[in-house]
Amino acid sequence: EYLDFTAGIAVVALGHNHPDITAAVVDQASKLVHCSNLYHNEWAPQLARNIVESTIAAYPQGTQGIYAQAADGRSPARVFFSNSGTEANEGALKFARKYGKHVAELGTLGKGTSEALRGDPNLKCGIVSFTGGFHGRSMGALSVTANPKYQKPFTPLIPGVQTAKYNSTSEIGAFVDERTCGVIVEPIQGEGGIHPAQVDFLRALRRRCDQVGALLIYDEIQCGLGRSGKLWAHQLYPEDCSPDILTMAKPLANGIPIGAILVSDKVAELIKVGEHGTTFGGNPLACRVGCTVLDHISKPEFLEHVQNAGQVLEQELQQALAPFVGSTVVELRGTGLLRGIQFASDPTQIVDLARDRGLMLVGAGGNTVRLVPPLNTSIADIKRGAAIIADCVKQFAAERKA
């Protein structure tokens, strides 16, 4: 028996063998698993509606980007389904490219720039991503994942991508310009080592994107859907940091493959039927389970538990690891149940020691061990996991000294 602090890399938000998930899978599998999006199925529009409505309800102060309201007070935001996180990001990048052409053709960016871009709208195609980010392994998503370990075997990558320093507000103006169509960023980096974005950084990105007519894309595939203690990690930030596009996947169907792209009205109105497609995306099985997952995660009492569990985990680790901070342990980071412990050296042995003690852990960038347990993990199990980690670190530190 194992205590899982990986959740399938932040996927099984409701844990393993959840009765509501099992019931939804069994019932839907006995009716209709797939019919393609050539035909209507009841669960895809239901999940899309639930995503939009729960997002708006969880952040009533939102007025920009995906939170912009129509004249009648309703949200005109729309959802496109895919099969995975990397596909969701591919779709977001495609939408940004089309939006860039639209802005170029409007000619609203100043006389000299507008004339050049109107003459060739394809010039407004630049995409900016950031150091430490991870957005997937398909070609477009890989191109905005600035890690040589992932990129080098598959170069050359798609053109037009620049990489700026994460959390460096001073670099934004130099990288995001009138030829930029989209900026993609994780509000809390997961694979890169659990690094939250600074408020001023996201605020400056939002402002600069508005200035140059670019879309701000938040990749919340790992940090979203309750992981931070809010429905979306960006909801921890002020309203003037809101995105134009939000991508999601991992926990949305608790292990059944699914991804989704939530887009604002100004993006949705440009994407015509048939311009982007998917065979399996939006299938009734995945969307039925997605409705079940979102029904649990979006409840205020569920998110309150994530916040409380995250605080307990932080307190337990801070107390237990205090003797090792500054030597074996560099830093503890994160929020909610998205936590990282950065070590002074390769922590692979920590992961191995924990597994031997019945605790499953997963690594991340920068000598970091990532802690991403299911969001409904009990407080007792949170404390048990923290105690095992402390025991492993104690042995690890002792062996390093010997």
Side-chain angles (χ1 to χ4, degrees):
E1 182 176 307
Y2 289 89
L3 179 59
D4 187 0
F5 267 35
T6 73
I9 314 182
V11 170
V12 287
L14 300 184
H16 304 279
N17 302 318
H18 191 287
D20 292 350
I21 300 299
T22 301
V25 170
V26 171
D27 185 63
Q28 191 60 42
S30 69
K31 295 176 179 176
L32 183 66
V33 171
H34 175 74
C35 62
S36 87
N37 59 13
L38 295 175
Y39 304 97
H40 173 85
N41 79 76
E42 63 179 305
W43 292 106
Q46 183 64 55
L47 180 56
R49 184 181 302 111
N50 292 355
I51 289 171
V52 173
E53 291 180 353
S54 62
T55 298
I56 301 302
Y59 198 68
Q61 65 267 43
T63 59
Q64 300 182 37
I66 59 174
Y67 299 98
Q69 294 184 345
D72 61 3
R74 295 185 180 184
S75 170
R78 296 290 182 267
V79 174
F80 185 92
F81 290 112
S82 65
N83 308 295
S84 65
T86 194
E87 289 182 45
N89 283 336
E90 291 285 350
L93 297 177
K94 285 177 66 177
F95 296 166
R97 282 279 173 89
K98 183 167 188 189
Y99 183 81
K101 288 185 179 183
H102 169 71
V103 172
E105 290 165 352
L106 287 178
T108 57
L109 294 177
K111 185 175 180 182
T113 300
S114 290
E115 289 175 353
L117 295 179
R118 194 182 297 162
D120 185 1
N122 285 326
L123 292 175
K124 190 169 176 62
C125 66
I127 297 167
V128 176
S129 61
F130 296 92
T131 56
F134 182 87
H135 304 288
R137 297 176 186 259
S138 52
M139 209 62 186
L142 179 65
S143 298
V144 294
T145 296
N147 187 328
K149 179 176 73 172
Y150 300 127
Q151 289 185 337
K152 189 175 180 179
F154 306 105
T155 54
L157 305 172
I158 67 168
V161 175
Q162 294 189 89
T163 303
K165 186 177 179 181
Y166 190 68
N167 273 333
S168 176
T169 302
S170 62
E171 291 190 6
I172 291 174
F175 282 86
V176 183
D177 59 25
E178 287 79 3
R179 296 196 178 197
T180 304
C181 67
V183 174
I184 185 166
V185 64
E186 296 166 90
I188 304 175
Q189 291 185 339
E191 178 74 18
I194 319 300
H195 295 282
Q198 297 170 0
V199 172
D200 288 347
F201 175 65
L202 293 185
R203 180 177 282 141
L205 281 179
R206 173 73 277 171
R207 183 167 56 246
R208 184 60 175 165
C209 284
D210 289 339
Q211 291 171 349
V212 302
L215 295 179
L216 180 57
I217 304 165
Y218 282 171
D219 175 344
E220 293 219 26
I221 289 161
Q222 183 161 169
C223 65
L225 287 167
R227 180 59 57 184
S228 69
K230 296 289 187 179
L231 184 59
W232 301 108
H234 74 265
Q235 293 176 342
L236 292 165
Y237 296 83
E239 185 274 329
D240 57 354
C241 300
S242 299
D244 300 301
I245 298 179
L246 179 68
T247 59
M248 66 197 79
K250 283 181 178 293
L252 184 55
N254 211 64
I256 303 295
I258 192 172
I261 316 163
L262 176 60
V263 301
S264 64
D265 180 56
K266 71 179 184 181
V267 180
E269 66 181 5
L270 294 177
I271 309 303
K272 308 305 179 186
V273 174
E275 288 187 336
H276 190 53
T278 173
T279 296
F280 297 105
N283 70 75
L285 177 64
C287 289
R288 168 89 180 263
V289 178
C291 286
T292 301
V293 171
L294 192 60
D295 181 60
H296 281 271
I297 288 178
S298 62
K299 285 184 168 61
E301 57 268 29
F302 186 94
L303 294 171
E304 184 178 356
H305 169 76
V306 176
Q307 294 167 18
N308 292 337
Q311 290 171 1
V312 169
L313 180 57
E314 180 179 29
Q315 291 165 2
E316 295 287 314
L317 290 174
Q318 283 181 339
Q319 181 176 354
L321 301 184
F324 307 100
V325 174
S327 55
T328 303
V329 175
V330 175
E331 186 180 24
L332 282 71
R333 294 188 294 268
T335 187
L337 288 176
L338 178 58
R339 300 281 172 172
I341 307 171
Q342 183 178 352
F343 291 86
S345 57
D346 182 5
T348 300
Q349 187 184 351
I350 297 284
V351 176
D352 294 339
L353 290 170
R355 185 176 61 249
D356 292 342
R357 289 164 169 78
L359 177 66
M360 297 166 63
L361 300 175
V362 61
N367 290 334
T368 300
V369 170
R370 190 175 359 174
L371 312 178
V372 282
L375 302 183
N376 57 353
T377 301
S378 69
I379 298 299
D381 280 342
I382 290 291
K383 290 182 176 180
R384 183 159 66 98
I388 293 172
I389 292 169
D391 187 46
C392 295
V393 173
K394 183 178 180 180
Q395 179 179 337
F396 179 72
E399 292 179 357
R400 291 277 164 169
K401 286 184 178 180

